[in-house]
Amino acid sequence: MYTQTNFKTKTALKQAIKDNKPLRYFQPGFGFGNEILDGTVYLEGPHYPAPHTWYATATVANGYIVKVS
């Protein structure tokens, strides 16, 4: 899955979480609305076609990322 914001680094993603920015995520090819709303998701970035340089496990609540590890 990807974040809606195309973060270039995992550090930038973690900083956005610390800054309490509302972050959504999506699975390419599945459209919006089919994502897990509560639980754990696995993220990668930056977005295709750039090569992925970071991967993260995220906790989501009500469709928003609330924690990243």
Side-chain angles (χ1 to χ4, degrees):
M1 289 193 185
Y2 294 121
T3 56
Q4 282 185 326
T5 303
N6 188 11
F7 293 103
K8 302 299 181 196
T9 65
K10 186 175 174 181
T11 303
L13 169 61
K14 286 183 171 186
Q15 186 60 48
I17 295 293
K18 283 183 183 179
D19 294 341
N20 291 322
K21 294 187 178 179
L23 299 175
R24 301 285 312 235
Y25 50 94
F26 67 98
Q27 177 68 46
F30 288 93
F32 290 101
N34 294 317
E35 295 84 12
I36 297 167
L37 296 179
D38 296 296
T40 302
V41 297
Y42 303 95
L43 304 169
E44 57 192 10
H47 294 181
Y48 179 85
H52 300 309
T53 57
W54 62 264
Y55 299 87
T57 302
T59 303
V60 296
N62 295 320
Y64 289 91
I65 299 169
V66 294
K67 181 180 175 185
V68 174
S69 57

